[in-house]
Amino acid sequence: GSGSGKSTLLQLIIGLTRPTSGEVWIDGREISQLDEDELDDVRLHMGMVFQYSALFDSMSVGDNVAFGLREHTKLSEEEIAAKVAEKLELVGLKGMEKVMPHELSGGMKKRVSLARALAFEPKTVLYDEPSSGLDPIMTNKINELIIETQKKLQVTSVVVTHDMASACRIADRIAM
């Protein structure tokens, strides 16, 4: 759909927008009726990979991946460092904790964004135009990473994309 259509879909799923009709069910809960605290609880089980990665430029890769863990958990810095290392390895960026976002390619930034989304070990990962701005080779690598992540971690992946070839490659189901 249009740009506004895709953002509305993701906003509905994470509870930023309330539906004008119908219901939004996530993990057995109808979320459009939940208050903000209840929605925050639902959101903690979701990871979001943004179209343009949405990394904090002033923070290292490791600090970007650790950000949500520091904000929303009581894990020690050692536990956080271990999770960060594990997630970076999962996305093929082992040992990149100290690198700054401006030193990364577009595809690497997307992978850092995915590592950050996975840090909480979510049940659902939402992808907003994951292949946007990438060349065909990197698009294919990101598609494979989405498939691999879904299989390895048994997460539900919701991918919003205009790239029909990618949609056909990664999807079990397609809604238009």
Side-chain angles (χ1 to χ4, degrees):
S2 68
S4 62
K6 75 165 170 79
S7 60
T8 303
L9 173 66
L10 294 176
Q11 288 171 357
L12 284 167
I13 292 172
I14 60 176
L16 290 176
T17 303
R18 307 253 178 205
T20 51
S21 64
E23 299 171 324
V24 180
W25 286 83
I26 297 180
D27 210 22
R29 296 171 84 179
E30 204 289 295
I31 67 159
S32 65
Q33 303 306 315
L34 301 181
D35 66 30
E36 211 48 43
D37 287 340
E38 292 169 315
L39 275 172
D40 283 344
D41 181 52
V42 171
R43 289 178 188 133
L44 285 176
H45 300 287
M46 295 182 189
M48 178 82 186
V49 180
F50 295 93
Q51 182 171 1
Y52 299 108
S53 304
L55 301 179
F56 298 106
D57 292 336
S58 61
M59 290 184 190
S60 69
V61 163
D63 287 337
N64 265 284
V65 177
F67 184 79
L69 295 171
R70 289 189 178 125
E71 291 287 306
H72 301 290
T73 72
K74 292 180 172 39
L75 296 174
S76 70
E77 279 303 309
E78 293 76 24
E79 291 168 314
I80 289 172
K83 275 192 179 287
V84 167
E86 174 194 332
K87 299 314 179 202
L88 285 174
E89 185 169 358
L90 184 72
V91 301
L93 295 174
K94 184 178 181 179
M96 302 284 281
E97 286 87 343
K98 301 279 188 238
V99 176
M100 297 302 285
H102 72 268
E103 300 175 78
L104 301 174
S105 68
M108 291 169 99
K109 287 179 184 178
K110 297 251 186 191
R111 289 196 254 163
V112 173
S113 184
L114 177 56
R116 181 178 59 193
L118 296 174
F120 263 96
E121 300 181 5
K123 296 176 183 173
T124 306
V125 181
L126 308 172
Y127 297 86
D128 182 8
E129 297 284 356
S131 60
S132 178
L134 300 179
D135 64 60
I137 292 168
M138 187 49 66
T139 293
N140 196 43
K141 286 183 179 175
I142 294 295
N143 288 343
E144 294 306 314
L145 189 59
I146 292 169
I147 293 165
E148 188 180 314
T149 301
Q150 191 277 328
K151 284 183 180 155
K152 238 186 228 176
L153 303 181
Q154 295 298 298
V155 294
T156 298
S157 299
V158 177
V159 182
V160 174
T161 183
H162 288 88
D163 180 347
M164 290 310 297
S166 288
C168 291
R169 174 74 188 102
I170 61 181
D172 296 318
R173 296 185 194 109
I174 296 177
M176 295 177 75

